[in-house]
Amino acid sequence: KEFEKHMAYLAKHHFNVISISDLVGKLQRKEKIPAKTVVITIDDGYEDNYTHAFPILKKYKLPAGIFVATDLIGQFTTARKGTTMNKLGWSQMEEMLNSGLIEVFPHSHTHPKLDQLTPEFAEKEVKVSRHTLENQLGKSLPIFAYPYGRYNREVIEILRNQGFEAAFTVKTGRVHPGDNLFLLKRNSIDSKVSFAMFRGIVRSGRT
């Protein structure tokens, strides 16, 4: 219900909602980003991305990108309070991709804190995640999101060496031309964010 309220607000007030790929392309070309531009990103690939978010995004014709940990595809996780949450399956991801609204990108293989791994294991996490998705979905996926927002200089270098073009952190802030493409900022919208706070976050990008 809250997610739909947010998407309806973006649509009603004519925000320029663009895909992750479009944003990265603009940054690579150092293009000016139009006022009121918003990019919708979703981490971890829970099944509710398909059952709840996808119908709403289709309703308002808004693009979004999902970052998926590949070892968990088609599996489930148990939250701290004991709640079981299913993960996306391949057929669900392929349906969303075929809509032309949804992009899927790698988010590591097992969702570890990459900065706590040896460079060899961190590289394996990144490589397996990307290759698994690209082989199954049949397209190049050169954009990454750091699990838990954790990274270090070695992790960034691994991404560069493997041909990635950009990566998202969980640091709060707006994105500008000239930003480091491997340190892109995002603003978290979760259950603690009221609707008034949401409006303030997206409206802050008007200039």
Side-chain angles (χ1 to χ4, degrees):
K1 183 177 179 181
E2 284 297 305
F3 184 71
E4 176 154 20
K5 193 174 181 181
H6 295 163
M7 298 304 102
Y9 180 84
L10 296 177
K12 179 180 179 181
H13 294 276
H14 307 290
F15 279 81
N16 178 41
V17 183
I18 63 174
S19 69
I20 292 174
S21 292
D22 286 342
L23 172 66
V24 171
K26 289 180 182 298
L27 293 172
Q28 288 173 327
R29 297 186 295 270
K30 294 182 170 52
E31 292 181 8
K32 181 178 179 180
I33 300 174
K36 296 179 67 174
T37 294
V38 170
V39 176
I40 300 166
T41 69
I42 306 173
D43 283 4
D44 300 343
Y46 287 100
E47 189 177 46
D48 61 8
N49 297 179
Y50 174 79
T51 57
H52 292 64
F54 184 42
I56 294 168
L57 292 165
K58 285 195 295 184
K59 177 178 178 180
Y60 295 100
K61 298 181 175 60
L62 299 176
I66 302 173
F67 291 98
V68 177
T70 46
D71 190 48
L72 301 176
I73 293 171
Q75 306 297 317
F76 66 89
T77 58
T78 302
R80 293 177 184 174
K81 296 181 179 180
T83 305
T84 298
M85 301 179 69
N86 292 330
K87 295 286 190 171
L88 286 169
W90 287 114
S91 62
Q92 294 168 327
M93 284 190 282
E94 288 169 353
E95 181 182 339
M96 290 191 289
L97 282 170
N98 290 336
S99 73
L101 285 176
I102 308 299
E103 295 181 312
V104 175
F105 293 106
H107 191 41
S108 80
H109 187 53
T110 64
H111 202 265
K113 295 174 180 176
L114 293 174
D115 62 336
Q116 295 184 359
L117 302 181
T118 65
E120 292 76 18
F121 277 103
E123 181 176 10
K124 182 177 179 182
E125 281 284 338
V126 172
K127 184 181 292 186
V128 170
S129 177
R130 183 176 182 181
H131 287 181
T132 300
L133 282 176
E134 289 185 340
N135 289 340
Q136 180 70 31
L137 302 177
K139 58 193 310 179
S140 178
L141 303 171
I143 302 170
F144 192 79
Y146 303 107
Y148 307 103
R150 301 287 292 267
Y151 63 89
N152 55 25
R153 189 166 49 190
E154 288 77 16
V155 172
I156 294 173
E157 191 63 22
I158 286 167
L159 294 179
R160 291 184 188 276
N161 290 340
Q162 292 192 23
F164 279 87
E165 298 176 3
F168 285 84
T169 70
V170 295
K171 289 185 177 180
T172 299
R174 291 164 53 191
V175 173
H176 304 273
D179 284 354
N180 186 327
L181 287 171
F182 290 87
L183 297 174
L184 296 178
K185 297 176 181 177
R186 295 188 283 178
N187 296 285
S188 177
I189 307 296
D190 56 23
S191 59
K192 298 176 184 177
V193 176
S194 68
F195 184 62
M197 292 166 66
F198 168 79
R199 288 183 302 178
I201 289 170
V202 296
R203 292 176 66 184
S204 70
R206 287 190 172 186
T207 58

